[in-house]
Amino acid sequence: MTDDHDSAEDAGHEPERETFEHDPIGHAEARAGMTVGELADEYGNAGVGAANLHEAVDVTEAMFDDDVTVFFGLAGPMVPTGMRRIVADLIRDGYIDALITTGANLTHDSIEAIGGKHHHGCVEAEGKTEREHDETLRDEGVDRIYNVYLPQEYFATFESHLREEVFPVLEAEAEESGPVSIERLTRELGRANAEINEREDIEEGPGIAAAASEHDVPIYCPAVQDSVLGLQAWMYSQTSSFSLDALADMTALTDLAFEAEEAGAFVVGGGVPKNFTLQTMLVAPGAYDYAVQLTMDPQQTGGLSGATLEEARSWGKLETDAENVSVYADATITLPLVVAATRERLE
């Protein structure tokens, strides 16, 4: 038995907590006239995804330092959904040192550069099932990317652009010295996009590939075959000496990782661009010092797209003391917020 005095004394003591830090949740303020940076700071007072997004701004700010080599992975329908200018501006303003993306994003980027447009659409039409709606779109020659439409004639224009402005230059190089690298293809694509955009006075900007070509930022597209760009390259290769060397880019990309004093990975979406970005450090002496990923894929499936950056640390892709955060939300929402808030702090 314990006497009443001991019981009262025990009741007056806080229990010992080894893992608890007194850091109370604040209540975020949302007011008229706030900047994006101020809103991101308010997110830091909150919990769950808001706290993660606030941390992503912190890590991105550190990553965008001049001494950090930034590898930017871009997967998913980022160009057709309207994220094109954000990435192009990051390249032009010196925040990206290497872009790893999909052939699909480069295809849609080029379509916009040469005069095509993506349009607001809908998933279902009134009075029709989703299937019936898509059957109608097919009959009308319109491709659907969730709630975005793209008229199919723009793909024909893109094919002509490649065959007239891009492939012949690379074919001549292939005749001289053999298959060209995929990075060489993307660089030539950017040059041609910029040239046509200016010559035809296209209202939309020349875009991502053009910005990269102009500022000597390499674009790596390891799964280029998985796109309309890749299909067109394959078809052109059937009747010409033009061909691509899928392994040629590995040396330049690895050299960039080797030479980096510090390295950062900013990964939008998953798939091949994410893995290609992260695996680069497996053959470098160091690993990523900073990493941010924006994804909607859950980690519980064991797939690469949703895998945490902590998991990547176990592979040696991130330094043990790397600053990293994953934000699980639609990247068309999170990418503009993170970039705008970061740029507000830096500029």
Side-chain angles (χ1 to χ4, degrees):
M1 294 181 62
T2 58
D3 58 34
D4 291 341
H5 176 76
D6 290 339
S7 297
E9 186 176 62
D10 291 342
H13 285 77
E14 292 288 339
E16 292 186 7
R17 298 183 174 105
E18 294 182 5
T19 59
F20 178 79
E21 294 181 8
H22 188 70
D23 185 13
I25 291 291
H27 296 282
E29 180 182 11
R31 64 182 184 276
M34 294 179 72
T35 67
V36 178
E38 290 170 340
L39 179 60
D41 288 341
E42 289 295 319
Y43 279 12
N45 294 324
V48 193
N52 290 339
L53 190 137
H54 174 265
E55 186 178 356
V57 176
D58 289 341
V59 178
T60 304
E61 180 185 10
M63 186 192 309
F64 281 178
D65 184 91
D66 288 340
D67 294 330
V68 180
T69 302
V70 177
F71 298 75
F72 198 99
L74 187 70
M78 291 296 102
V79 170
T81 55
M83 302 294 107
R84 177 176 183 256
R85 182 173 178 178
I86 293 172
V87 179
D89 285 347
L90 286 173
I91 292 172
R92 288 193 182 92
D93 295 334
Y95 291 114
I96 295 175
D97 296 291
L99 177 67
I100 300 92
T101 191
T102 62
N105 274 318
L106 292 174
T107 296
H108 293 285
D109 175 58
S110 299
I111 286 173
E112 293 265 349
I114 62 177
K117 285 299 296 180
H118 298 82
H119 302 268
H120 289 284
C122 58
V123 178
E124 295 183 6
E126 186 176 353
K128 294 182 179 181
T129 65
E130 184 175 350
R131 174 171 177 166
E132 290 170 339
H133 175 49
D134 285 319
E135 288 173 348
T136 301
L137 290 175
R138 179 171 178 172
D139 291 340
E140 295 177 350
V142 176
D143 295 327
R144 179 169 73 88
I145 306 168
Y146 188 58
N147 60 1
V148 175
Y149 291 164
L150 178 64
Q152 291 179 358
E153 59 264 27
Y154 291 142
F155 285 113
T157 304
F158 177 56
E159 177 183 357
S160 297
H161 175 59
L162 292 174
R163 289 181 169 271
E164 295 169 10
E165 306 289 340
V166 180
F167 292 154
V169 176
L170 300 175
E171 180 183 6
E173 292 180 12
E175 290 175 350
E176 180 89 11
S177 55
V180 299
S181 70
I182 297 172
E183 189 276 328
R184 178 68 188 93
L185 166 63
T186 63
R187 188 159 23 105
E188 187 61 27
L189 181 66
R191 180 208 60 78
N193 289 354
E195 186 175 299
I196 296 298
N197 188 268
E198 181 177 5
R199 189 171 73 207
E200 301 295 331
D201 194 24
I202 305 299
E203 182 177 357
E204 191 58 61
I208 295 171
S213 179
E214 179 183 354
H215 293 276
D216 295 322
V217 173
I219 296 180
Y220 301 107
C221 186
V224 68
Q225 302 94 323
D226 185 28
S227 66
V228 172
L229 172 60
L231 283 172
Q232 291 297 331
W234 169 73
M235 285 190 283
Y236 193 86
S237 73
Q238 301 306 293
T239 56
S240 74
S241 57
F242 164 72
S243 185
L244 294 173
D245 182 347
L247 296 178
D249 291 339
M250 300 297 291
T251 301
L253 182 61
T254 301
D255 286 348
L256 191 63
F258 257 84
E259 294 164 5
E261 293 184 15
E262 289 187 289
F266 193 110
V267 181
V268 181
V272 173
K274 176 182 176 180
N275 190 64
F276 205 71
T277 300
L278 295 178
Q279 77 169 14
T280 298
M281 290 302 168
L282 292 178
V283 290
Y288 284 113
D289 302 281
Y290 306 94
V292 171
Q293 77 161 342
L294 312 179
T295 184
M296 287 183 67
D297 292 289
Q299 60 174 305
Q300 291 88 348
T301 63
L304 181 280
S305 294
T308 64
L309 295 171
E310 281 71 22
E311 182 178 307
R313 181 179 280 107
S314 77
W315 289 74
K317 299 171 183 176
L318 269 66
E319 296 287 1
T320 55
D321 61 349
E323 296 180 33
N324 61 275
V325 60
S326 298
V327 181
Y328 292 89
D330 182 348
T332 63
I333 299 171
T334 57
L335 178 63
L337 285 173
V338 171
V339 170
T342 301
R343 298 193 66 155
E344 184 175 323
R345 291 184 183 183
L346 294 172
E347 299 169 17

